[in-house]
């Protein structure tokens, strides 16, 4: 049974994608042709960081690109995360910037 995962960008866009059982959120967004950023696809680079707003999402591999405090604040690496219920997730390149401030700005 697929889960309905609603992706929310900070510019106000929202879209919902069906994520199959044992499918990561990034794999589902690629299948649907959505422009969610990603890099390594194994949980190390944090390019695909999303923030869970509602629902149940689990990491199926160790999210090496996140610190424990980031996970406690609801951030997930979508390349190694699978939903366990319908979810709402904030996505986009700005989400990773929440975790790693740029000292040059």
């Amino acid at each position: 049974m697929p889960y309905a995962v609603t992706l929310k960008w900070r510019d106000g866009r929202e879209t919902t994608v069906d994520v199959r059982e044992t499918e990561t959120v990034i794999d589902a967004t690629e299948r649907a042709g959505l422009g969610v950023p990603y890099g390594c696809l194994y949980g190390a680079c944090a390019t695909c960081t999303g923030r869970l707003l509602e629902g149940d999402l689990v990491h199926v591999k160790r999210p090496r690109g996140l610190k424990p405090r980031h996970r406690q604040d609801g951030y997930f690496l979508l390349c190694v995360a699978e939903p366990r219920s319908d979810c709402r997730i904030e996505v986009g390149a700005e989400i990773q910037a929440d975790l790693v401030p740029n000292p040059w700005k």
Side-chain angles (χ1 to χ4, degrees), residues 33-92:
L34 301 173
V36 177
Y38 65 89
C40 70
L41 295 177
Y42 57 88
C45 75
T47 302
C48 63
T49 301
R51 188 169 63 95
L52 183 65
L53 302 173
E54 297 174 20
D56 187 16
L57 193 62
V58 298
H59 285 121
V60 293
K61 293 182 182 171
R62 192 173 127 216
R64 291 180 286 166
L66 291 179
K67 295 179 179 178
R69 64 184 161 89
H70 297 147
R71 293 193 305 267
Q72 290 173 349
D73 290 341
Y75 291 95
F76 282 83
L77 298 184
L78 303 180
C79 70
V80 294
E82 295 176 1
R84 295 297 183 257
S85 72
D86 294 345
C87 296
R88 287 179 49 86
I89 304 170
E90 189 176 39
V91 297

